[in-house]
Amino acid sequence: MAQIEAGPVAYRRWLFVTACAYAVLHHLGLLPAGTARWRGTSWVDWLDLVVPYAALAPAALTLATARVTGRHWGVFAVGALAYTQGHGIHLAANSIGNADPGETAYLWDELAGHAIWYAGAAVVMFVLAATMARESPRAHPLGVLAALGVGATNALGGHTIPLAIVVALAGIGWGWTRRHTVAWLTGIAGAAALVVLAGAALV
């Protein structure tokens, strides 16, 4: 069995991939679904199936390269389970709602699904942020852009804005108190999130 490469270079590489995957994959809903459907589903529905795997796999590799403790893995597992369950609920209900809109589909998609999904994402981000507090503060400009992308990819959908505000403020606080490490990027992400939320409130 091949060993996973460790060290700061591998860690930062996978952290960057995780941030990019999160920022890109959470915008799949903006893609046009098109008119071709199979049993009421669109090609975007099927593409959306890969989101948990494509987002959580690099996150797990980030933790592996950071050589985290069992406690970190335990918290990550809780967040990953909530993330996948919430996303699955959202995907199924959203797909059904597209074909046959109704109150039940809306409840499981926009309310329950999103809340569980983003709560899980917040837990995963918490674990990743904990590893960032162990790294030197130097960050590549692309890392800053990735942090801005994560922050801009916020829980505007599904009526989870209160949760998004809490997570954004926590990111800013964590980044400020640990600004002597690369965790200062969480402050950048949190600030970007607040800007997005404020903009949404003004529209």
Side-chain angles (χ1 to χ4, degrees), residues 6 81 87 175 189:
L81 285 172
H87 176 267

Side-chain angles (χ1 to χ4, degrees), residues 102-126:
E103 290 186 5
T104 304
Y106 178 83
L107 167 66
W108 288 107
D109 173 20
E110 295 296 323
L111 300 179
H114 274 88
I116 299 171
W117 182 13
Y118 284 116
V123 173
V124 171
M125 289 181 184
F126 170 78

Side-chain angles (χ1 to χ4, degrees), residues 195-203:
V195 170
V196 170
L197 291 166
L202 294 175
V203 172

Side-chain angles (χ1 to χ4, degrees), residues 66-87:
R67 295 290 193 258
V68 296
T69 65
R71 182 179 301 177
H72 288 89
W73 283 114
V75 176
F76 174 77
V78 171
L81 285 172
Y83 183 99
T84 52
Q85 182 184 43
H87 176 267

